[in-house]
PDB file of all heavy atoms in Angstrom:
ATOM      1  N   PHE A   3     166.394 142.138 164.498  1.00  0.00           N
ATOM      2  CA  PHE A   3     165.622 141.185 165.298  1.00  0.00           C
ATOM      3  C   PHE A   3     165.264 139.921 164.527  1.00  0.00           C
ATOM      4  O   PHE A   3     165.412 138.802 165.028  1.00  0.00           O
ATOM      5  CB  PHE A   3     164.336 141.832 165.830  1.00  0.00           C
ATOM      6  CG  PHE A   3     163.532 140.871 166.673  1.00  0.00           C
ATOM      7  CD1 PHE A   3     163.853 140.680 167.995  1.00  0.00           C
ATOM      8  CD2 PHE A   3     162.490 140.134 166.120  1.00  0.00           C
ATOM      9  CE1 PHE A   3     163.148 139.771 168.775  1.00  0.00           C
ATOM     10  CE2 PHE A   3     161.782 139.222 166.883  1.00  0.00           C
ATOM     11  CZ  PHE A   3     162.111 139.048 168.218  1.00  0.00           C
ATOM     12  N   PHE A   4     164.783 140.077 163.305  1.00  0.00           N
ATOM     13  CA  PHE A   4     164.290 138.917 162.572  1.00  0.00           C
ATOM     14  C   PHE A   4     165.428 137.949 162.209  1.00  0.00           C
ATOM     15  O   PHE A   4     165.243 136.731 162.255  1.00  0.00           O
ATOM     16  CB  PHE A   4     163.518 139.356 161.325  1.00  0.00           C
ATOM     17  CG  PHE A   4     162.231 140.048 161.658  1.00  0.00           C
ATOM     18  CD1 PHE A   4     162.149 141.433 161.675  1.00  0.00           C
ATOM     19  CD2 PHE A   4     161.102 139.308 161.975  1.00  0.00           C
ATOM     20  CE1 PHE A   4     160.959 142.068 161.993  1.00  0.00           C
ATOM     21  CE2 PHE A   4     159.905 139.930 162.299  1.00  0.00           C
ATOM     22  CZ  PHE A   4     159.839 141.320 162.318  1.00  0.00           C
ATOM     23  N   ASP A   5     166.596 138.484 161.872  1.00  0.00           N
ATOM     24  CA  ASP A   5     167.750 137.620 161.621  1.00  0.00           C
ATOM     25  C   ASP A   5     168.236 136.993 162.926  1.00  0.00           C
ATOM     26  O   ASP A   5     168.647 135.831 162.958  1.00  0.00           O
ATOM     27  CB  ASP A   5     168.875 138.408 160.954  1.00  0.00           C
ATOM     28  CG  ASP A   5     168.516 138.828 159.539  1.00  0.00           C
ATOM     29  OD1 ASP A   5     167.847 138.039 158.841  1.00  0.00           O
ATOM     30  OD2 ASP A   5     168.886 139.939 159.124  1.00  0.00           O
ATOM     31  N   GLY A   6     168.187 137.771 163.997  1.00  0.00           N
ATOM     32  CA  GLY A   6     168.580 137.237 165.297  1.00  0.00           C
ATOM     33  C   GLY A   6     167.657 136.133 165.768  1.00  0.00           C
ATOM     34  O   GLY A   6     168.105 135.145 166.367  1.00  0.00           O
ATOM     35  N   TYR A   7     166.358 136.295 165.462  1.00  0.00           N
ATOM     36  CA  TYR A   7     165.394 135.257 165.851  1.00  0.00           C
ATOM     37  C   TYR A   7     165.688 133.946 165.114  1.00  0.00           C
ATOM     38  O   TYR A   7     165.545 132.865 165.684  1.00  0.00           O
ATOM     39  CB  TYR A   7     163.973 135.731 165.556  1.00  0.00           C
ATOM     40  CG  TYR A   7     162.911 134.769 166.037  1.00  0.00           C
ATOM     41  CD1 TYR A   7     162.415 134.867 167.337  1.00  0.00           C
ATOM     42  CD2 TYR A   7     162.416 133.766 165.212  1.00  0.00           C
ATOM     43  CE1 TYR A   7     161.447 133.981 167.797  1.00  0.00           C
ATOM     44  CE2 TYR A   7     161.457 132.880 165.655  1.00  0.00           C
ATOM     45  CZ  TYR A   7     160.975 132.992 166.946  1.00  0.00           C
ATOM     46  OH  TYR A   7     160.017 132.099 167.392  1.00  0.00           O
ATOM     47  N   LYS A   8     166.107 134.042 163.861  1.00  0.00           N
ATOM     48  CA  LYS A   8     166.471 132.830 163.113  1.00  0.00           C
ATOM     49  C   LYS A   8     167.623 132.098 163.786  1.00  0.00           C
ATOM     50  O   LYS A   8     167.642 130.871 163.874  1.00  0.00           O
ATOM     51  CB  LYS A   8     166.880 133.197 161.683  1.00  0.00           C
ATOM     52  CG  LYS A   8     165.748 133.475 160.731  1.00  0.00           C
ATOM     53  CD  LYS A   8     166.315 133.790 159.348  1.00  0.00           C
ATOM     54  CE  LYS A   8     165.205 134.150 158.367  1.00  0.00           C
ATOM     55  NZ  LYS A   8     165.751 134.534 157.043  1.00  0.00           N
ATOM     56  N   ALA A   9     168.605 132.878 164.258  1.00  0.00           N
ATOM     57  CA  ALA A   9     169.804 132.282 164.836  1.00  0.00           C
ATOM     58  C   ALA A   9     169.561 131.736 166.238  1.00  0.00           C
ATOM     59  O   ALA A   9     170.084 130.676 166.597  1.00  0.00           O
ATOM     60  CB  ALA A   9     170.934 133.311 164.877  1.00  0.00           C
ATOM     61  N   ASN A  10     168.746 132.478 167.028  1.00  0.00           N
ATOM     62  CA  ASN A  10     168.533 132.072 168.418  1.00  0.00           C
ATOM     63  C   ASN A  10     167.193 132.633 168.907  1.00  0.00           C
ATOM     64  O   ASN A  10     167.155 133.706 169.498  1.00  0.00           O
ATOM     65  CB  ASN A  10     169.682 132.569 169.307  1.00  0.00           C
ATOM     66  CG  ASN A  10     169.660 131.949 170.692  1.00  0.00           C
ATOM     67  OD1 ASN A  10     168.614 131.606 171.217  1.00  0.00           O
ATOM     68  ND2 ASN A  10     170.841 131.817 171.297  1.00  0.00           N
ATOM     69  N   PRO A  11     166.113 131.920 168.693  1.00  0.00           N
ATOM     70  CA  PRO A  11     164.786 132.427 169.058  1.00  0.00           C
ATOM     71  C   PRO A  11     164.642 132.760 170.544  1.00  0.00           C
ATOM     72  O   PRO A  11     164.067 133.802 170.893  1.00  0.00           O
ATOM     73  CB  PRO A  11     163.842 131.281 168.663  1.00  0.00           C
ATOM     74  CG  PRO A  11     164.591 130.500 167.644  1.00  0.00           C
ATOM     75  CD  PRO A  11     166.034 130.600 168.025  1.00  0.00           C
ATOM     76  N   ASP A  12     165.153 131.910 171.412  1.00  0.00           N
ATOM     77  CA  ASP A  12     165.012 132.135 172.854  1.00  0.00           C
ATOM     78  C   ASP A  12     165.711 133.427 173.286  1.00  0.00           C
ATOM     79  O   ASP A  12     165.175 134.202 174.083  1.00  0.00           O
ATOM     80  CB  ASP A  12     165.576 130.949 173.643  1.00  0.00           C
ATOM     81  CG  ASP A  12     164.736 129.693 173.468  1.00  0.00           C
ATOM     82  OD1 ASP A  12     163.549 129.830 173.116  1.00  0.00           O
ATOM     83  OD2 ASP A  12     165.273 128.593 173.681  1.00  0.00           O
ATOM     84  N   TYR A  13     166.913 133.639 172.761  1.00  0.00           N
ATOM     85  CA  TYR A  13     167.648 134.850 173.126  1.00  0.00           C
ATOM     86  C   TYR A  13     166.949 136.095 172.589  1.00  0.00           C
ATOM     87  O   TYR A  13     166.851 137.115 173.277  1.00  0.00           O
ATOM     88  CB  TYR A  13     169.077 134.784 172.597  1.00  0.00           C
ATOM     89  CG  TYR A  13     169.900 135.984 172.976  1.00  0.00           C
ATOM     90  CD1 TYR A  13     170.406 136.133 174.259  1.00  0.00           C
ATOM     91  CD2 TYR A  13     170.158 136.994 172.044  1.00  0.00           C
ATOM     92  CE1 TYR A  13     171.145 137.244 174.614  1.00  0.00           C
ATOM     93  CE2 TYR A  13     170.899 138.106 172.381  1.00  0.00           C
ATOM     94  CZ  TYR A  13     171.400 138.227 173.680  1.00  0.00           C
ATOM     95  OH  TYR A  13     172.127 139.338 174.031  1.00  0.00           O
ATOM     96  N   ALA A  14     166.456 136.022 171.362  1.00  0.00           N
ATOM     97  CA  ALA A  14     165.761 137.170 170.768  1.00  0.00           C
ATOM     98  C   ALA A  14     164.528 137.536 171.587  1.00  0.00           C
ATOM     99  O   ALA A  14     164.276 138.717 171.861  1.00  0.00           O
ATOM    100  CB  ALA A  14     165.363 136.856 169.325  1.00  0.00           C
ATOM    101  N   LEU A  15     163.772 136.532 172.005  1.00  0.00           N
ATOM    102  CA  LEU A  15     162.580 136.797 172.811  1.00  0.00           C
ATOM    103  C   LEU A  15     162.950 137.333 174.192  1.00  0.00           C
ATOM    104  O   LEU A  15     162.246 138.181 174.744  1.00  0.00           O
ATOM    105  CB  LEU A  15     161.743 135.525 172.943  1.00  0.00           C
ATOM    106  CG  LEU A  15     161.039 135.053 171.668  1.00  0.00           C
ATOM    107  CD1 LEU A  15     160.344 133.718 171.896  1.00  0.00           C
ATOM    108  CD2 LEU A  15     160.034 136.097 171.182  1.00  0.00           C
ATOM    109  N   SER A  16     164.059 136.843 174.740  1.00  0.00           N
ATOM    110  CA  SER A  16     164.478 137.333 176.055  1.00  0.00           C
ATOM    111  C   SER A  16     164.877 138.809 175.986  1.00  0.00           C
ATOM    112  O   SER A  16     164.686 139.557 176.952  1.00  0.00           O
ATOM    113  CB  SER A  16     165.639 136.498 176.595  1.00  0.00           C
ATOM    114  OG  SER A  16     166.842 136.741 175.892  1.00  0.00           O
ATOM    115  N   CYS A  17     165.405 139.249 174.847  1.00  0.00           N
ATOM    116  CA  CYS A  17     165.790 140.662 174.684  1.00  0.00           C
ATOM    117  C   CYS A  17     164.569 141.573 174.740  1.00  0.00           C
ATOM    118  O   CYS A  17     164.562 142.586 175.451  1.00  0.00           O
ATOM    119  CB  CYS A  17     166.529 140.856 173.362  1.00  0.00           C
ATOM    120  SG  CYS A  17     168.202 140.191 173.339  1.00  0.00           S
ATOM    121  N   VAL A  18     163.528 141.219 173.985  1.00  0.00           N
ATOM    122  CA  VAL A  18     162.337 142.079 173.984  1.00  0.00           C
ATOM    123  C   VAL A  18     161.589 141.965 175.310  1.00  0.00           C
ATOM    124  O   VAL A  18     160.967 142.933 175.769  1.00  0.00           O
ATOM    125  CB  VAL A  18     161.406 141.755 172.796  1.00  0.00           C
ATOM    126  CG1 VAL A  18     162.101 142.103 171.479  1.00  0.00           C
ATOM    127  CG2 VAL A  18     160.985 140.295 172.784  1.00  0.00           C
ATOM    128  N   GLU A  19     161.650 140.817 175.945  1.00  0.00           N
ATOM    129  CA  GLU A  19     161.024 140.651 177.268  1.00  0.00           C
ATOM    130  C   GLU A  19     161.720 141.531 178.299  1.00  0.00           C
ATOM    131  O   GLU A  19     161.067 142.183 179.117  1.00  0.00           O
ATOM    132  CB  GLU A  19     161.106 139.182 177.703  1.00  0.00           C
ATOM    133  CG  GLU A  19     160.550 138.899 179.089  1.00  0.00           C
ATOM    134  CD  GLU A  19     159.037 139.045 179.158  1.00  0.00           C
ATOM    135  OE1 GLU A  19     158.375 138.868 178.117  1.00  0.00           O
ATOM    136  OE2 GLU A  19     158.535 139.337 180.256  1.00  0.00           O
ATOM    137  N   THR A  20     163.042 141.580 178.239  1.00  0.00           N
ATOM    138  CA  THR A  20     163.806 142.438 179.149  1.00  0.00           C
ATOM    139  C   THR A  20     163.482 143.907 178.918  1.00  0.00           C
ATOM    140  O   THR A  20     163.345 144.686 179.864  1.00  0.00           O
ATOM    141  CB  THR A  20     165.318 142.204 178.962  1.00  0.00           C
ATOM    142  OG1 THR A  20     165.620 140.832 179.247  1.00  0.00           O
ATOM    143  CG2 THR A  20     166.130 143.087 179.894  1.00  0.00           C
ATOM    144  N   ALA A  21     163.347 144.297 177.656  1.00  0.00           N
ATOM    145  CA  ALA A  21     162.993 145.683 177.338  1.00  0.00           C
ATOM    146  C   ALA A  21     161.628 146.034 177.901  1.00  0.00           C
ATOM    147  O   ALA A  21     161.427 147.124 178.453  1.00  0.00           O
ATOM    148  CB  ALA A  21     163.016 145.892 175.829  1.00  0.00           C
ATOM    149  N   LYS A  22     160.688 145.122 177.798  1.00  0.00           N
ATOM    150  CA  LYS A  22     159.347 145.356 178.355  1.00  0.00           C
ATOM    151  C   LYS A  22     159.405 145.516 179.860  1.00  0.00           C
ATOM    152  O   LYS A  22     158.821 146.450 180.429  1.00  0.00           O
ATOM    153  CB  LYS A  22     158.418 144.209 177.988  1.00  0.00           C
ATOM    154  CG  LYS A  22     156.969 144.420 178.427  1.00  0.00           C
ATOM    155  CD  LYS A  22     156.146 143.157 178.329  1.00  0.00           C
ATOM    156  CE  LYS A  22     156.405 142.264 179.530  1.00  0.00           C
ATOM    157  NZ  LYS A  22     155.437 141.142 179.614  1.00  0.00           N
ATOM    158  N   GLU A  23     160.135 144.611 180.525  1.00  0.00           N
ATOM    159  CA  GLU A  23     160.230 144.659 181.988  1.00  0.00           C
ATOM    160  C   GLU A  23     160.945 145.917 182.467  1.00  0.00           C
ATOM    161  O   GLU A  23     160.679 146.408 183.564  1.00  0.00           O
ATOM    162  CB  GLU A  23     160.968 143.419 182.496  1.00  0.00           C
ATOM    163  CG  GLU A  23     160.185 142.123 182.311  1.00  0.00           C
ATOM    164  CD  GLU A  23     160.968 140.903 182.742  1.00  0.00           C
ATOM    165  OE1 GLU A  23     162.168 141.061 183.084  1.00  0.00           O
ATOM    166  OE2 GLU A  23     160.388 139.801 182.743  1.00  0.00           O
ATOM    167  N   ALA A  24     161.839 146.462 181.625  1.00  0.00           N
ATOM    168  CA  ALA A  24     162.573 147.677 181.987  1.00  0.00           C
ATOM    169  C   ALA A  24     161.750 148.939 181.766  1.00  0.00           C
ATOM    170  O   ALA A  24     162.192 150.033 182.111  1.00  0.00           O
ATOM    171  CB  ALA A  24     163.875 147.753 181.199  1.00  0.00           C
ATOM    172  N   GLY A  25     160.560 148.813 181.161  1.00  0.00           N
ATOM    173  CA  GLY A  25     159.686 149.966 181.015  1.00  0.00           C
ATOM    174  C   GLY A  25     159.406 150.436 179.611  1.00  0.00           C
ATOM    175  O   GLY A  25     158.689 151.417 179.416  1.00  0.00           O
ATOM    176  N   ALA A  26     159.956 149.763 178.606  1.00  0.00           N
ATOM    177  CA  ALA A  26     159.657 150.162 177.226  1.00  0.00           C
ATOM    178  C   ALA A  26     158.179 149.949 176.938  1.00  0.00           C
ATOM    179  O   ALA A  26     157.617 148.911 177.283  1.00  0.00           O
ATOM    180  CB  ALA A  26     160.504 149.354 176.248  1.00  0.00           C
ATOM    181  N   THR A  27     157.541 150.944 176.330  1.00  0.00           N
ATOM    182  CA  THR A  27     156.114 150.844 176.017  1.00  0.00           C
ATOM    183  C   THR A  27     155.873 150.428 174.570  1.00  0.00           C
ATOM    184  O   THR A  27     154.764 150.057 174.213  1.00  0.00           O
ATOM    185  CB  THR A  27     155.413 152.188 176.269  1.00  0.00           C
ATOM    186  OG1 THR A  27     156.058 153.212 175.505  1.00  0.00           O
ATOM    187  CG2 THR A  27     155.470 152.557 177.744  1.00  0.00           C
ATOM    188  N   ARG A  28     156.921 150.503 173.753  1.00  0.00           N
ATOM    189  CA  ARG A  28     156.815 150.072 172.359  1.00  0.00           C
ATOM    190  C   ARG A  28     158.066 149.276 171.987  1.00  0.00           C
ATOM    191  O   ARG A  28     159.181 149.727 172.224  1.00  0.00           O
ATOM    192  CB  ARG A  28     156.635 151.261 171.410  1.00  0.00           C
ATOM    193  CG  ARG A  28     155.326 152.015 171.651  1.00  0.00           C
ATOM    194  CD  ARG A  28     155.213 153.251 170.783  1.00  0.00           C
ATOM    195  NE  ARG A  28     154.016 154.004 171.140  1.00  0.00           N
ATOM    196  CZ  ARG A  28     152.983 154.212 170.327  1.00  0.00           C
ATOM    197  NH1 ARG A  28     152.998 153.730 169.095  1.00  0.00           N
ATOM    198  NH2 ARG A  28     151.944 154.912 170.729  1.00  0.00           N
ATOM    199  N   ILE A  29     157.851 148.105 171.411  1.00  0.00           N
ATOM    200  CA  ILE A  29     158.945 147.247 170.970  1.00  0.00           C
ATOM    201  C   ILE A  29     158.923 147.220 169.450  1.00  0.00           C
ATOM    202  O   ILE A  29     157.960 146.750 168.843  1.00  0.00           O
ATOM    203  CB  ILE A  29     158.798 145.815 171.509  1.00  0.00           C
ATOM    204  CG1 ILE A  29     158.629 145.809 173.026  1.00  0.00           C
ATOM    205  CG2 ILE A  29     159.977 144.963 171.064  1.00  0.00           C
ATOM    206  CD1 ILE A  29     159.844 146.218 173.796  1.00  0.00           C
ATOM    207  N   ILE A  30     159.964 147.774 168.812  1.00  0.00           N
ATOM    208  CA  ILE A  30     160.009 147.865 167.368  1.00  0.00           C
ATOM    209  C   ILE A  30     160.872 146.728 166.824  1.00  0.00           C
ATOM    210  O   ILE A  30     162.076 146.657 167.108  1.00  0.00           O
ATOM    211  CB  ILE A  30     160.588 149.217 166.897  1.00  0.00           C
ATOM    212  CG1 ILE A  30     159.981 150.384 167.693  1.00  0.00           C
ATOM    213  CG2 ILE A  30     160.374 149.383 165.407  1.00  0.00           C
ATOM    214  CD1 ILE A  30     158.472 150.485 167.612  1.00  0.00           C
ATOM    215  N   LEU A  31     160.277 145.845 166.051  1.00  0.00           N
ATOM    216  CA  LEU A  31     161.000 144.726 165.458  1.00  0.00           C
ATOM    217  C   LEU A  31     161.590 145.167 164.126  1.00  0.00           C
ATOM    218  O   LEU A  31     160.859 145.643 163.248  1.00  0.00           O
ATOM    219  CB  LEU A  31     160.059 143.530 165.264  1.00  0.00           C
ATOM    220  CG  LEU A  31     159.246 143.113 166.501  1.00  0.00           C
ATOM    221  CD1 LEU A  31     158.352 141.923 166.167  1.00  0.00           C
ATOM    222  CD2 LEU A  31     160.157 142.800 167.676  1.00  0.00           C
ATOM    223  N   CYS A  32     162.890 145.003 163.973  1.00  0.00           N
ATOM    224  CA  CYS A  32     163.575 145.547 162.795  1.00  0.00           C
ATOM    225  C   CYS A  32     164.076 144.452 161.861  1.00  0.00           C
ATOM    226  O   CYS A  32     164.762 143.525 162.297  1.00  0.00           O
ATOM    227  CB  CYS A  32     164.765 146.398 163.229  1.00  0.00           C
ATOM    228  SG  CYS A  32     164.343 147.763 164.341  1.00  0.00           S
ATOM    229  N   ASP A  33     163.720 144.591 160.595  1.00  0.00           N
ATOM    230  CA  ASP A  33     164.331 143.767 159.540  1.00  0.00           C
ATOM    231  C   ASP A  33     165.452 144.611 158.951  1.00  0.00           C
ATOM    232  O   ASP A  33     165.328 145.164 157.854  1.00  0.00           O
ATOM    233  CB  ASP A  33     163.295 143.387 158.485  1.00  0.00           C
ATOM    234  CG  ASP A  33     163.871 142.468 157.413  1.00  0.00           C
ATOM    235  OD1 ASP A  33     164.866 141.777 157.716  1.00  0.00           O
ATOM    236  OD2 ASP A  33     163.343 142.447 156.295  1.00  0.00           O
ATOM    237  N   THR A  34     166.527 144.730 159.706  1.00  0.00           N
ATOM    238  CA  THR A  34     167.587 145.695 159.400  1.00  0.00           C
ATOM    239  C   THR A  34     168.262 145.419 158.068  1.00  0.00           C
ATOM    240  O   THR A  34     168.631 146.343 157.336  1.00  0.00           O
ATOM    241  CB  THR A  34     168.627 145.695 160.533  1.00  0.00           C
ATOM    242  OG1 THR A  34     167.957 145.828 161.790  1.00  0.00           O
ATOM    243  CG2 THR A  34     169.597 146.845 160.380  1.00  0.00           C
ATOM    244  N   ASN A  35     168.449 144.159 157.726  1.00  0.00           N
ATOM    245  CA  ASN A  35     169.088 143.821 156.452  1.00  0.00           C
ATOM    246  C   ASN A  35     168.112 143.817 155.285  1.00  0.00           C
ATOM    247  O   ASN A  35     168.528 143.723 154.126  1.00  0.00           O
ATOM    248  CB  ASN A  35     169.764 142.444 156.538  1.00  0.00           C
ATOM    249  CG  ASN A  35     171.024 142.477 157.374  1.00  0.00           C
ATOM    250  OD1 ASN A  35     171.674 143.509 157.471  1.00  0.00           O
ATOM    251  ND2 ASN A  35     171.365 141.360 157.988  1.00  0.00           N
ATOM    252  N   GLY A  36     166.822 143.887 155.572  1.00  0.00           N
ATOM    253  CA  GLY A  36     165.828 143.869 154.508  1.00  0.00           C
ATOM    254  C   GLY A  36     165.835 142.575 153.716  1.00  0.00           C
ATOM    255  O   GLY A  36     165.531 142.561 152.524  1.00  0.00           O
ATOM    256  N   SER A  37     166.153 141.474 154.396  1.00  0.00           N
ATOM    257  CA  SER A  37     166.370 140.217 153.669  1.00  0.00           C
ATOM    258  C   SER A  37     165.256 139.193 153.848  1.00  0.00           C
ATOM    259  O   SER A  37     165.298 138.117 153.250  1.00  0.00           O
ATOM    260  CB  SER A  37     167.686 139.582 154.133  1.00  0.00           C
ATOM    261  OG  SER A  37     167.654 139.325 155.534  1.00  0.00           O
ATOM    262  N   ASN A  38     164.264 139.506 154.676  1.00  0.00           N
ATOM    263  CA  ASN A  38     163.240 138.508 154.993  1.00  0.00           C
ATOM    264  C   ASN A  38     161.966 138.704 154.182  1.00  0.00           C
ATOM    265  O   ASN A  38     161.708 139.789 153.647  1.00  0.00           O
ATOM    266  CB  ASN A  38     162.931 138.551 156.489  1.00  0.00           C
ATOM    267  CG  ASN A  38     164.108 138.082 157.322  1.00  0.00           C
ATOM    268  OD1 ASN A  38     164.447 136.907 157.331  1.00  0.00           O
ATOM    269  ND2 ASN A  38     164.752 139.009 158.021  1.00  0.00           N
ATOM    270  N   LEU A  39     161.161 137.640 154.119  1.00  0.00           N
ATOM    271  CA  LEU A  39     159.929 137.658 153.337  1.00  0.00           C
ATOM    272  C   LEU A  39     158.707 137.737 154.256  1.00  0.00           C
ATOM    273  O   LEU A  39     158.779 137.477 155.457  1.00  0.00           O
ATOM    274  CB  LEU A  39     159.853 136.420 152.450  1.00  0.00           C
ATOM    275  CG  LEU A  39     161.017 136.251 151.462  1.00  0.00           C
ATOM    276  CD1 LEU A  39     160.803 135.002 150.623  1.00  0.00           C
ATOM    277  CD2 LEU A  39     161.188 137.480 150.580  1.00  0.00           C
ATOM    278  N   SER A  40     157.581 138.073 153.651  1.00  0.00           N
ATOM    279  CA  SER A  40     156.402 138.465 154.422  1.00  0.00           C
ATOM    280  C   SER A  40     155.840 137.363 155.312  1.00  0.00           C
ATOM    281  O   SER A  40     155.390 137.643 156.429  1.00  0.00           O
ATOM    282  CB  SER A  40     155.311 138.964 153.468  1.00  0.00           C
ATOM    283  OG  SER A  40     155.772 140.080 152.736  1.00  0.00           O
ATOM    284  N   ASN A  41     155.830 136.125 154.850  1.00  0.00           N
ATOM    285  CA  ASN A  41     155.260 135.070 155.684  1.00  0.00           C
ATOM    286  C   ASN A  41     156.061 134.884 156.969  1.00  0.00           C
ATOM    287  O   ASN A  41     155.498 134.628 158.040  1.00  0.00           O
ATOM    288  CB  ASN A  41     155.159 133.754 154.896  1.00  0.00           C
ATOM    289  CG  ASN A  41     156.499 133.257 154.397  1.00  0.00           C
ATOM    290  OD1 ASN A  41     157.430 134.043 154.229  1.00  0.00           O
ATOM    291  ND2 ASN A  41     156.604 131.957 154.156  1.00  0.00           N
ATOM    292  N   TYR A  42     157.381 135.021 156.864  1.00  0.00           N
ATOM    293  CA  TYR A  42     158.237 134.907 158.050  1.00  0.00           C
ATOM    294  C   TYR A  42     158.013 136.094 158.980  1.00  0.00           C
ATOM    295  O   TYR A  42     157.920 135.926 160.196  1.00  0.00           O
ATOM    296  CB  TYR A  42     159.703 134.829 157.618  1.00  0.00           C
ATOM    297  CG  TYR A  42     160.686 134.828 158.759  1.00  0.00           C
ATOM    298  CD1 TYR A  42     160.802 133.727 159.598  1.00  0.00           C
ATOM    299  CD2 TYR A  42     161.507 135.931 158.999  1.00  0.00           C
ATOM    300  CE1 TYR A  42     161.706 133.728 160.653  1.00  0.00           C
ATOM    301  CE2 TYR A  42     162.405 135.943 160.046  1.00  0.00           C
ATOM    302  CZ  TYR A  42     162.501 134.840 160.865  1.00  0.00           C
ATOM    303  OH  TYR A  42     163.403 134.846 161.912  1.00  0.00           O
ATOM    304  N   ILE A  43     157.940 137.296 158.433  1.00  0.00           N
ATOM    305  CA  ILE A  43     157.693 138.497 159.237  1.00  0.00           C
ATOM    306  C   ILE A  43     156.371 138.364 159.992  1.00  0.00           C
ATOM    307  O   ILE A  43     156.282 138.666 161.189  1.00  0.00           O
ATOM    308  CB  ILE A  43     157.669 139.759 158.345  1.00  0.00           C
ATOM    309  CG1 ILE A  43     159.022 139.960 157.651  1.00  0.00           C
ATOM    310  CG2 ILE A  43     157.266 140.991 159.154  1.00  0.00           C
ATOM    311  CD1 ILE A  43     160.158 140.339 158.555  1.00  0.00           C
ATOM    312  N   TYR A  44     155.345 137.904 159.302  1.00  0.00           N
ATOM    313  CA  TYR A  44     154.028 137.718 159.916  1.00  0.00           C
ATOM    314  C   TYR A  44     154.105 136.734 161.086  1.00  0.00           C
ATOM    315  O   TYR A  44     153.621 137.004 162.186  1.00  0.00           O
ATOM    316  CB  TYR A  44     153.029 137.216 158.875  1.00  0.00           C
ATOM    317  CG  TYR A  44     151.719 136.736 159.448  1.00  0.00           C
ATOM    318  CD1 TYR A  44     150.696 137.638 159.761  1.00  0.00           C
ATOM    319  CD2 TYR A  44     151.503 135.379 159.689  1.00  0.00           C
ATOM    320  CE1 TYR A  44     149.497 137.197 160.304  1.00  0.00           C
ATOM    321  CE2 TYR A  44     150.304 134.930 160.218  1.00  0.00           C
ATOM    322  CZ  TYR A  44     149.308 135.831 160.523  1.00  0.00           C
ATOM    323  OH  TYR A  44     148.119 135.391 161.063  1.00  0.00           O
ATOM    324  N   ASN A  45     154.717 135.578 160.850  1.00  0.00           N
ATOM    325  CA  ASN A  45     154.765 134.531 161.872  1.00  0.00           C
ATOM    326  C   ASN A  45     155.547 134.973 163.107  1.00  0.00           C
ATOM    327  O   ASN A  45     155.116 134.747 164.249  1.00  0.00           O
ATOM    328  CB  ASN A  45     155.387 133.254 161.294  1.00  0.00           C
ATOM    329  CG  ASN A  45     154.471 132.570 160.296  1.00  0.00           C
ATOM    330  OD1 ASN A  45     153.255 132.658 160.394  1.00  0.00           O
ATOM    331  ND2 ASN A  45     155.056 131.886 159.311  1.00  0.00           N
ATOM    332  N   VAL A  46     156.694 135.614 162.897  1.00  0.00           N
ATOM    333  CA  VAL A  46     157.522 136.029 164.030  1.00  0.00           C
ATOM    334  C   VAL A  46     156.847 137.156 164.817  1.00  0.00           C
ATOM    335  O   VAL A  46     156.872 137.172 166.053  1.00  0.00           O
ATOM    336  CB  VAL A  46     158.925 136.451 163.546  1.00  0.00           C
ATOM    337  CG1 VAL A  46     159.738 137.023 164.710  1.00  0.00           C
ATOM    338  CG2 VAL A  46     159.652 135.263 162.944  1.00  0.00           C
TER     339      VAL A  46
END
């Protein structure tokens, strides 16, 4: 998610919005590559 948000913020937000509308009760944001730093994680 966090790398995807860097590349395309609108699309990344639309993905989690769609998941919410489809009934997901928890949205887990993943730093899958482990490449981001804390200030960016906090802000996003």
Side-chain angles (χ1 to χ4, degrees):
F3 181 82
F4 292 98
D5 292 323
Y7 185 88
K8 281 181 183 177
N10 191 330
D12 292 338
Y13 182 76
L15 290 175
S16 71
C17 287
V18 294
E19 177 69 26
T20 300
K22 185 193 80 169
E23 292 176 354
T27 56
R28 296 175 186 244
I29 307 291
I30 315 302
L31 309 180
C32 303
D33 183 24
T34 310
N35 287 333
S37 59
N38 293 290
L39 301 181
S40 300
N41 60 336
Y42 175 71
I43 298 291
Y44 169 83
N45 289 330
V46 174

